[in-house]
Amino acid sequence: MPSPSRRVLLGISAGIAAYKSAVLARLLKQAGCEVRVVMTEGAQAFITPLTLQALTGEPVRTSLLDPEAEAGMGHIELARWADTILIAPATADLMARLAAGMADDLLTTLCLASEAEKVMAPAMNQAMWRHPATARNAARLVEDGWRLLGPASGDQACGDVGPGRMLEPEAILAALLDASQVSNTGDAPAAGMAVTITAGPTREPLDPVRYLSNHSSGKMGYALAEAAAALGARVTLISGPVNLPCPAGVARLEVETALEMHEAAMRLAEQSDLFIGCAAVADYRAEQAAEHKIKKVEGEEGLTLRLVKNPDIIASVAALPEARRPFVVGFAAETRDLAAYARDKLTRKRLDMIVANDVSREGLGFGADDNAALVLWREAARQEKASPEGDALAEEELAPQTKSRLAMAVMHRALACLQARRHP
């Protein structure tokens, strides 16, 4: 648990989820934290400062231009006081202002003036969360050092269903406790690293109601994101359409098509230390998706579709100039000749490491909770399995186990390889 001296500045912005912030403040106090609250003007329409003052035992700050509080540059003192700035809820508007570096109220000013750990729990309508502008802002905030918790999916106050719900206060507290425990034990081999992971399938539209896709559930990629966050990394998960909650402490960018995933991956890869391509990306898409539903034609027994190749995301990342290239880990889902295909893919696409799965094995792979893997990586110190490029390939077999345990093993191997690359 956090030590009693841990100081949390709780920022509350103008969302209906602000009512949960009162519970969060109480839980933080019970966990032994000192808590001070800053509210935006809009937040006060949903919950009163008096409520938060009663729960924390501290005055609530609401204005940057408070003459009494600013007599001694109070906002700077408050920025220095905090060990952690936690914004819950964080609205789309607040995220946009922070991503742009604005300081037009007390809360955004404190964020720019503080060197504290910065965490936010987004909360907004599902369409707002899915909007490309919000996705860009979320990615920029992660690049700037923010840790995003959620959002969760489910019923929303507006009647919609989808991603955008603020995590429950208990889940937010648990994420903070986990981060504190990692920090206190020193078991954070990925601390300070930026990790980008792709997960799930892509969907390639044929017409307004049909698409090409595959059986990927996204479970392995999500397990990797959870493992990377637990090891202290700042994690961005580029996710195709799946029915999974976002892991705590992970920023999720939702995409549909391979082209959308490629754009997000290339934008984030250059700011990443480690890139893991775990998504099952469609190799082909329709040359031109039909504007209207494709109808059956009486008397015709077949339908001809012209498909074109999608960009190869993992190869594109691996081909980045060395100065901007992360350590690149690929995945290979095969039904036969696992080792041969994995070695070929690692060499041909110039990857640093590859995790190969035999998805034909019953109870493993797509949709299952368990998996097994053959892991291969470049290791110049070993010469028994030299690749055509002159590097030696080392390998390790990971026996069938839960995807969570397998993900942690893969992360530890990737981090060890990355450290060896940096400090030969």
Side-chain angles (χ1 to χ4, degrees), residues 55-127:
L55 290 169
T56 63
E58 297 284 349
V60 175
R61 294 287 304 275
T62 59
S63 174
L64 178 61
L65 303 178
D66 183 336
E68 182 177 344
E70 290 303 310
M73 296 296 288
H75 70 283
I76 297 298
E77 288 304 313
L78 193 54
R80 291 171 178 165
W81 172 84
D83 296 320
T84 299
I85 294 178
L86 168 62
I87 303 178
T91 61
D93 173 73
L94 182 68
M95 291 176 65
R97 289 189 286 129
L98 286 171
M102 297 179 67
D104 55 352
D105 63 5
L106 178 59
L107 183 54
T108 52
T109 299
L110 288 169
C111 292
L112 263 65
S114 177
E115 296 181 357
E117 172 194 26
K118 296 181 177 66
V119 185
M120 67 169 61
M124 64 199 71
N125 169 266
Q126 56 84 23

Side-chain angles (χ1 to χ4, degrees), residues 147-170:
R147 183 180 176 209
L148 273 62
L149 305 180
S153 293
D155 295 333
Q156 299 188 320
C158 60
D160 285 358
V161 178
R165 287 172 55 93
M166 187 176 99
L167 292 185
E168 295 303 316
E170 294 79 4

Side-chain angles (χ1 to χ4, degrees), residues 11-19 21 38-47 87-95 97 105 107 121 123-125 128 166:
I12 304 175
S13 62
I16 185 63
Y19 77 90
S21 303
V38 173
M39 302 177 69
T40 66
E41 181 179 357
Q44 298 169 65
F46 295 93
I47 187 171
I87 303 178
T91 61
D93 173 73
L94 182 68
M95 291 176 65
R97 289 189 286 129
D105 63 5
L107 183 54
M124 64 199 71
N125 169 266
M128 296 173 71
M166 187 176 99

